[in-house]
Amino acid sequence: MDNTNCRKELEGRGAWRDAVSVIDRAAGGLERRAIYGNCTYQGLWWLPDSGKYVLALGYDGVTRLSQVNLQQSNSRNLNAYLDMVVGNCELTRHGIPWKDGGWGMLDLKCQFIQWSPNGDTMLVRYAFIREKDGEEHTGFFWFDCGKLSL
């Protein structure tokens, strides 16, 4: 697999607009193109077998992670899965605030660190500001991404 990342929209029509364009090329000439508008590129990490990758994009100061599966030509909102995992563990009892007063996702920042050697799990760093004391709390956890049905 080959991958190209560009900081402009690759539509080829009219003026080049600010965006993030990703082109994945497979053996045999197949291509998958995705354009993510109104964001900034923050990183892309391939799974060891090159079949999947995590893409980090910044939207108004918030990092959004996607896990892309090239064989199935789809992507998943990784932040939503990470929020579910963290939301159902002991950490929520220690004061992770919810966005919008309890509706929606946790007010949690997640950062992809690395894939495990076998590619079944990924190391994720989390950070949140506890409302009770206003302090930032951080940590790491291994996320089993094999259960995402990708």
Side-chain angles (χ1 to χ4, degrees), residues 84-140:
M84 285 188 288
V85 168
V86 175
N88 290 319
C89 75
E90 291 257 338
L91 289 172
T92 54
R93 294 187 207 138
H94 297 289
I96 299 177
W98 290 88
K99 291 180 183 174
D100 304 322
W103 299 99
M105 300 189 340
L106 295 172
D107 199 2
L108 180 72
K109 294 177 183 153
C110 289
Q111 177 186 2
F112 175 87
I113 301 296
Q114 71 181 43
W115 290 102
S116 65
N118 65 5
D120 289 339
T121 58
M122 61 179 72
L123 183 61
V124 177
R125 180 186 183 271
Y126 69 86
F128 66 92
I129 305 293
R130 188 162 56 186
E131 291 176 337
K132 180 169 79 172
D133 57 17
E135 292 183 28
E136 182 179 48
H137 296 268
T138 63
F140 298 87

Side-chain angles (χ1 to χ4, degrees), residues 139-150:
F140 298 87
F141 64 93
W142 286 98
F143 175 65
D144 184 357
C145 54
K147 296 182 180 179
L148 289 181
S149 302
L150 289 180

